[in-house]
Amino acid sequence: MRFGILGPLDVRAPDGSPLDPGGPRPRALLTLLLLDAGRTVSPERLIDGLYGEDPPANAANALQSQVSRLRKRLDLKIETGPAGYRLVTDRDAVDVHRFERLAREGGQALATGDHARAAALLREGLALWRGPAPDELPRLEELRLTALQDRIAADLALGSGPDLIAEIRELLARHPLSERLYALLMRALHAADRPAEALAAYEEARSVLAEELGADPSAELSALHLELLQGREPQRQRGVPAQLTRFVGRAEELARIDEMLAGARLVTLTGPGGAGKTRLAMESARSRPDVCYVELAPLADGAQIPYAVLSALGVREGLRGPQSADATERLIAVLEEREALLVLDNCEHVVEGAARVAGLLLGACPGVRILATSREALGITGEALCPVPPLAAGPAAQLFRDRAAAVRPDFDAVAEGPARVAAIDGICTALDGLPLAIELAAARLRTLTVEELAERLGDRFRVLSRGDRTKAPRHRTLRAVVEWSWELLDDEERDLACRLTVFSGGGLSGGATLDAVEAVCGIAYPEDLLASLAEKSFLDASDGRYGMLETIRAFCAEQLPDETLATLKDAHAAYYLRLAERAEPLLRGADQLPWLSRLSAERGDLDAALRHLVRSAPDDGLRLMAALSWFWRLHGLAGQRVALARDLLDAVGPMPSPGLDEEYALCGLNAVTGDEDDELLARADRVLATIDRQLRLPFTVVLWTLAVGPERSQDERVRAQVGDDPWGQALLAVGLGFQEQFAGRPAASEALFAQALEGFRSCGDRWGMANSLDQLGLYADWRGERERALELIDEALAFARELAAPEETADLLCRRGTVLLRSGRHAEAAVDFARAAELARGIGAHDKVAGAHWGLGDAARLAGDTAAARTHYESALETSARSWYSVGQTVHIFLGLGRTALAEGRVDEADDWFRQARALSTGGQTQQLELAEVAEALASRAAGPEQAATLLGAASALRGQLIVDDPDVTPVERRIRRLLAPDTFKKAFELGSALREAALREA
């Protein structure tokens, strides 16, 4: 029989025909028994369900009578006992229990990435619903909603999107406080190529949560919003690598880790190599909302850990702000306001550095928790240790069967008699339940039977039992299994396995391409050997890359003779030098995105090659560092290679070898910290001064400008150094465009930026197009062409998002907000500024956060909310950077505070802020735009209308024009024109144009 209670009670005979249980009481009784099908239900519970608070005097007898009639009417087996009544039936025959099972299994499939299976299971379960849940189990409606959301998530992962939007909106109408539904809606809109609506959905969620609950969106929803802002494809689990095999066992360990993380902020999984620490940590992290997985195995130096974490977080620095060599400070800035779990994997070889970073983060970032894996404890206060034991017998055998089926598809079809079961159990026991050992052993079933495998393992371990007794038995066993698997390789396979250890990174991060293997290892057509090593679990093969687990890599490296290793390192460095030099010009053209992706994938090996060349061939080290310098600036973190650059300069000496002058200068620029090392800058400048030919690497001009300021583009040397290179000519136009801008010649400046845009378009360089469009948008805004300005800025934003350039994106959002403010669209502008602030805060870019708060202050002030404006301006001051970049920003903030004070009637305070802004903006050519804004602000406080007109004339001359319909300036100009005769206004205005800076001194 089959029973349905997810809706009106439905009872079906085995042949599918409907059966009638009777009236309301029999139907209620059957429902109560079905809710606990197969389990005993107490009489008290049944009486309460049937009669409520008013049972009859003989309720027990009445219940017995009801059960008897129901039993006879439907021919049910209802057992009676002292504890109550039990309906004997398969729980899967009752729709509610079948639904619960399907929902649970579907959720598990979704969590493990099996989206097709998850969607099928959840659809089957949800199809069982024919109406509302029984009143006795309101929790079922919650489970139904969870299953619906899981099914939608699975469909999204399978490529759906547009067809899910209406369904999600309908669910949101019934559950308006569900953050997960908002997240699914944002993902669906993004998949439907409706990014603006996806971002608007977040704003809707934030508004609803604030109004109904007085709460902010969760960390998970905010993280998704940040990914959409950055133009990245949202990931369900960010940072946790997807696994190609099923996770087996470890339920107790997972529960223990959850419990420990609830009480401690640092939990370290310890155990020998191969115990399964990495996989266990990833499975534990997979169910958490904001996770960052950081693979430390490829690192050679603990000082690189902060950069590894920043890279895993997706943080990079742009070219629009001060560069900083202090990665730890940047990391703290990124995480100090986040609720996040960091997974630091393979800490043992950099344990001191890992402990130092963990201690700093835990002390400065209260929302951060750390799950580490290491063969030894980090040894810092508050650390909770979780030793990872071997797998228990049952899960160990299941792991063996799973991996055996992977190498022998017919394995599950082979009947397992008692002897086979005993052999598998014996193998797992001999291997002490170590997952890596079991996987290596199972890989041998391609050529051996289970019985042969068990026999060989037994013989092998009897021999090895006389080995080094000082080592832990588990470690001896692991080494023995790796060694045994090693001896089953043929000579060619062993040779290649050893040679592959020259590459950086393991199967979870890094690995080598087929082309790299062939070139570095000196083996022609290595495809078959690589496939064989992968089949025997000596390699992980994924997405065309081949990598080794660290335990196997360490073993194979021990077998490699020193002289062979030295030759391999030379070949490895030569290959990656060729790759970098091939990629360098392509990073400035139409192939920019794929080559950024390629070099990002090769980052570990490029760094290893550079470290080798610093020691062995400094001149080639200069070439490699130069070739990578633009890549690092587009997709890296300043400071990450400062120490290496300085070591390379020391190795080369005070002057470069002939032909390496610009490479030497670039090395010097890479060695400069955020504090600006004058000696290094001077050394680089001396070398650059000797170059009177076209540069092979024209981006040197950009990096030099970043170090010393944009005046660099005026240097006559630059024209010769750029030569006729199209990208360099476009870059030169950008530099000259800024010089014209600073000189107050907007028409000439705009023409140069248009020329630069045309040049960058012909090259296909998104970075150059974004920067040129930004300035062209500025000039359209100044002329009052606001819609055109927004078009140009939106195009620039699209390029910045393609480049995954969060700092540039934040800047462009602020530019967009300013245009909207001048259009009177204050609320829309505030949204853009808020997005910029969130984006910048997520990457720890304090100067960009300050710029966004300055914009939010302007938006609030112009909307009439001076209290909010003051709060934003003060926040901007607190986070503003201290460099030549930040002077203009601080001037703007001072002016905003002054205008706020003026709006509130505090005239003396306003004058004080304006005086401070004037003092700060009189320092050089690059401050002329800020000086123009100071003049405009002072005009609002001038002693009389003629002086005000003079100050507006000075502002117009300094900038090259007054901005059309500027909400802060245009009303002042109109008021002055009403007070003065046209000729008087004209004379005063022209006087200011002639006096420029001098006019401000008189104000």
Side-chain angles (χ1 to χ4, degrees):
M1 296 179 68
R2 302 198 71 81
F3 306 91
I5 56 177
L6 295 176
L9 181 64
D10 184 53
V11 184
R12 299 279 169 170
D15 64 0
S17 59
L19 299 176
D20 182 9
R25 286 269 162 78
R27 300 175 78 85
L29 174 61
L30 180 57
T31 298
L32 291 168
L33 291 170
L34 288 169
L35 287 171
D36 280 297
R39 299 170 182 164
T40 300
V41 186
S42 69
E44 292 78 15
R45 181 176 173 190
L46 293 173
I47 290 169
D48 182 62
L50 287 173
Y51 303 108
E53 297 180 358
D54 189 26
N58 58 346
N61 290 335
L63 173 62
Q64 188 176 17
S65 176
Q66 291 276 8
V67 170
S68 178
R69 287 196 295 272
L70 185 64
R71 186 188 287 128
K72 292 177 182 178
R73 185 179 182 99
L74 296 180
D75 193 24
L76 295 174
K77 185 177 181 181
I78 303 177
E79 296 179 346
T80 304
Y85 300 90
R86 174 175 174 265
L87 175 62
V88 180
T89 187
D90 181 4
R91 287 176 66 83
D92 223 37
V94 186
D95 61 358
V96 66
H97 303 304
R98 181 172 175 78
F99 166 70
E100 287 182 299
R101 177 181 64 78
L102 291 168
R104 181 176 60 254
E105 293 177 357
Q108 291 170 347
L110 180 66
T112 57
D114 192 347
H115 301 115
R117 182 168 180 267
L121 289 168
L122 292 162
R123 273 197 171 78
E124 182 182 351
L126 290 165
L128 297 172
W129 285 76
R130 296 167 292 105
D135 294 339
E136 294 82 358
L137 281 182
R139 69 172 181 83
L140 282 175
E141 287 291 351
E142 296 180 14
L143 183 58
R144 182 186 190 184
L145 177 60
T146 299
L148 273 167
Q149 293 175 124
D150 284 350
R151 196 224 78 222
I152 292 170
D155 286 344
L156 278 169
L158 292 170
S160 296
D163 51 332
L164 297 172
I165 294 170
E167 179 184 6
I168 300 171
R169 288 197 183 280
E170 183 181 345
L171 286 170
L172 263 173
R174 300 200 301 267
H175 307 279
L177 300 180
S178 171
E179 288 194 73
R180 188 180 182 196
L181 283 175
Y182 277 112
L184 291 170
L185 178 60
M186 291 164 67
R187 292 175 187 275
L189 288 165
H190 179 83
D193 198 24
R194 293 154 66 177
E197 292 179 63
L199 295 173
Y202 175 81
E203 299 302 327
E204 178 186 342
R206 180 158 60 181
S207 175
V208 170
L209 292 170
E211 182 176 343
E212 298 294 330
L213 303 177
D216 292 326
S218 66
E220 182 177 15
L221 193 63
S222 297
L224 173 59
H225 182 229
L226 179 60
E227 290 178 359
L228 293 177
L229 281 173
Q230 292 174 322
R232 292 187 282 130
E233 190 67 25
Q235 299 296 322
R236 185 172 186 274
Q237 288 296 336
R238 186 176 59 198
V240 180
Q243 299 303 300
L244 303 179
T245 55
R246 188 165 72 98
F247 184 71
V248 175
R250 300 293 195 194
E252 290 185 10
E253 289 86 346
L254 287 170
R256 187 183 309 124
I257 294 169
D258 285 345
E259 183 179 347
M260 294 176 79
L261 281 171
R265 293 178 55 217
L266 171 60
V267 175
T268 303
L269 308 186
T270 60
K277 302 184 295 296
T278 293
R279 189 66 186 272
L280 180 58
M282 287 194 292
E283 288 301 318
S284 176
R286 197 172 297 281
S287 62
R288 296 176 181 271
D290 193 358
V291 179
C292 174
Y293 172 83
V294 189
E295 167 66 274
L296 301 183
L299 302 187
D301 181 2
Q304 295 297 303
I305 292 175
Y307 296 105
V309 181
L310 285 167
S311 295
L313 286 164
V315 174
R316 56 164 288 268
E317 290 178 341
L319 296 170
R320 293 175 168 233
Q323 310 293 323
S324 171
D326 192 340
T328 304
E329 180 181 333
R330 182 72 179 264
L331 183 55
I332 290 172
V334 171
L335 293 172
E336 60 188 349
E337 296 182 12
R338 276 175 66 171
E339 300 275 343
L341 175 68
L342 293 185
V343 181
L344 301 181
D345 193 23
N346 293 311
C347 296
E348 53 272 353
H349 66 301
V350 286
V351 67
E352 291 185 4
R356 181 171 57 256
V357 170
L360 288 170
L361 290 179
L362 294 173
C365 309
V368 169
R369 294 180 184 273
I370 296 175
L371 180 60
T373 74
S374 180
R375 297 186 191 182
E376 61 177 296
L378 300 190
I380 64 177
T381 303
E383 180 181 25
L385 297 180
C386 181
V388 178
L391 282 172
Q398 184 59 53
L399 177 64
F400 183 89
R401 291 184 175 91
D402 273 18
R403 302 310 188 254
V407 297
R408 281 186 55 182
D410 64 335
F411 186 80
D412 285 340
V414 177
E416 288 191 5
R420 172 68 53 80
V421 171
I424 292 174
D425 289 343
I427 291 168
C428 294
T429 300
L431 301 179
D432 279 348
L434 284 174
L436 177 59
I438 291 169
E439 294 195 9
L440 286 170
R444 304 313 307 159
L445 293 183
R446 184 174 294 278
T447 55
L448 301 174
T449 66
V450 171
E451 292 74 18
E452 289 171 334
L453 177 62
E455 182 180 354
R456 295 193 65 164
L457 274 180
D459 291 342
R460 187 60 173 150
F461 279 94
R462 279 197 295 274
V463 174
L464 291 173
S465 65
R466 297 176 184 175
D468 183 359
R469 298 181 183 275
T470 65
K471 294 187 179 294
R474 257 174 280 149
H475 188 72
R476 290 207 307 270
T477 301
L478 174 67
R479 182 174 183 81
V481 172
V482 178
E483 190 172 54
W484 171 71
S485 294
W486 167 262
E487 291 183 359
L488 293 175
L489 303 179
D490 62 32
D491 289 342
E492 287 184 319
E493 290 169 338
R494 288 185 197 175
D495 180 52
L496 180 55
C498 288
R499 291 172 177 269
L500 288 171
T501 62
V502 74
F503 292 101
S504 173
L508 296 176
S509 66
T513 62
L514 179 64
D515 178 62
V517 171
E518 185 171 5
V520 174
C521 297
I523 296 175
Y525 308 110
E527 295 91 333
D528 291 343
L529 286 175
L530 289 168
S532 181
L533 287 171
E535 289 170 358
K536 295 173 183 178
S537 294
F538 262 75
L539 288 181
D540 285 330
S542 178
D543 296 329
R545 306 184 75 85
Y546 300 88
M548 284 181 165
L549 292 175
E550 284 303 304
T551 300
I552 296 176
R553 186 170 180 267
F555 177 89
C556 293
E558 292 177 2
Q559 321 305 316
L560 192 65
D562 290 343
E563 59 274 15
T564 304
L565 176 61
T567 301
L568 281 170
K569 283 188 173 182
D570 288 342
H572 176 272
Y575 173 81
Y576 284 100
L577 173 58
R578 290 194 301 273
L579 178 69
E581 291 187 329
R582 175 189 171 196
E584 183 278 317
L586 300 174
L587 293 177
R588 296 180 272 116
D591 294 325
Q592 190 174 52
L593 294 182
W595 276 97
L596 282 172
S597 177
R598 171 73 187 276
L599 292 186
S600 293
E602 305 284 6
R603 195 186 301 251
D605 281 294
L606 289 165
D607 285 352
L610 184 55
R611 288 193 297 269
H612 176 69
L613 291 175
V614 169
R615 295 187 298 268
S616 64
D619 283 353
D620 285 341
L622 285 177
R623 290 171 55 199
L624 180 54
M625 178 164 281
L628 291 174
S629 292
W630 189 239
F631 164 68
W632 291 337
R633 293 292 174 166
L634 287 175
H635 249 232
L637 292 154
Q640 189 166 3
R641 292 159 189 85
V642 165
L644 201 57
R646 294 188 174 192
D647 289 344
L648 184 53
L649 285 176
D650 290 342
V652 173
M655 291 299 292
S657 300
L660 292 176
D661 40 13
E662 61 187 280
E663 288 83 354
Y664 186 85
L666 275 168
C667 186
L669 294 175
N670 281 310
V672 174
T673 69
D675 297 325
E676 292 194 349
D677 189 308
D678 292 339
E679 180 185 347
L680 289 173
L681 282 175
R683 192 192 304 187
D685 192 40
R686 282 195 299 271
V687 173
L688 284 170
T690 66
I691 302 176
D692 56 3
R693 55 169 171 76
Q694 181 173 325
L695 295 175
R696 296 184 300 277
L697 305 166
F699 57 78
T700 304
V701 176
V702 184
L703 302 188
W704 182 244
T705 299
L706 287 170
V708 300
E711 294 92 342
R712 165 68 173 151
S713 58
Q714 282 188 315
D715 195 318
E716 285 301 319
R717 287 175 292 174
V718 173
R719 296 179 184 274
Q721 290 170 354
V722 166
D724 59 2
D725 175 74
W727 188 89
Q729 283 290 322
L731 179 66
L732 179 61
V734 168
L736 295 174
F738 276 117
Q739 293 305 319
E740 294 295 327
Q741 184 181 97
F742 300 150
R745 294 187 286 269
S749 176
E750 185 174 16
L752 284 162
F753 282 116
Q755 177 186 329
L757 177 61
E758 183 179 352
F760 286 128
R761 282 200 196 280
S762 67
C763 297
D765 179 17
R766 292 159 180 80
W767 173 84
M769 287 189 281
N771 280 275
S772 303
L773 286 162
D774 177 24
Q775 296 304 309
L776 292 172
L778 176 140
Y779 288 121
D781 176 41
W782 285 7
R783 288 194 300 273
E785 299 172 5
R786 302 278 141 70
E787 290 305 318
R788 175 57 178 161
L790 291 175
E791 290 176 7
L792 293 164
I793 295 167
D794 285 344
E795 186 180 358
L797 275 167
F799 288 130
R801 286 166 175 157
E802 276 190 295
L803 287 169
E807 292 199 24
E808 283 85 346
T809 300
D811 276 337
L812 287 164
L813 284 169
C814 286
R815 177 83 74 202
R816 194 176 194 278
T818 300
V819 175
L820 290 169
L821 279 185
R822 290 179 179 146
S823 305
R825 296 153 68 176
H826 303 147
E828 293 177 66
V831 170
D832 276 348
F833 288 127
R835 289 172 178 168
E838 183 178 3
L839 187 59
R841 193 177 296 112
I843 57 171
H846 287 309
D847 58 315
K848 309 303 179 187
V849 176
H853 275 290
W854 146 40
L856 285 167
D858 283 350
R861 176 175 57 79
L862 291 171
D865 190 348
T866 55
R870 183 178 297 278
T871 298
H872 285 303
Y873 289 138
E874 289 171 351
S875 296
L877 274 182
E878 289 175 5
T879 54
S880 184
R882 291 291 176 265
S883 71
W884 69 265
Y885 291 93
S886 69
V887 172
Q889 188 177 84
T890 307
V891 169
H892 285 295
I893 298 168
F894 285 172
L895 293 176
L897 284 165
R899 284 172 169 143
T900 301
L902 201 59
E904 294 174 337
R906 294 195 300 277
V907 177
D908 290 343
E909 180 186 335
D911 289 342
D912 183 56
W913 284 119
F914 291 158
R915 280 193 295 269
Q916 290 187 61
R918 178 174 58 186
L920 191 61
S921 60
T922 54
Q925 181 194 9
T926 59
Q927 274 86 58
Q928 284 206 173
L929 295 181
E930 286 72 39
L931 202 58
E933 294 202 30
V934 171
E936 290 166 339
L938 290 173
S940 66
R941 292 288 303 129
E946 288 188 45
Q947 185 186 44
T950 299
L951 286 166
L952 289 181
S956 178
L958 288 165
R959 186 190 294 114
Q961 69 176 88
L962 294 179
I963 296 172
V964 176
D965 292 333
D966 186 311
D968 284 316
V969 181
T970 302
V972 176
E973 180 189 1
R974 288 172 180 166
R975 178 173 57 84
I976 297 167
R977 286 183 181 275
R978 285 197 301 269
L979 294 173
L980 295 175
D983 287 346
T984 305
F985 178 88
K986 181 180 178 182
K987 289 178 181 178
F989 191 90
E990 290 174 348
L991 177 63
S993 297
L995 293 175
R996 295 195 177 204
E997 293 94 331
L1000 276 74
R1001 290 194 291 271
E1002 303 298 325

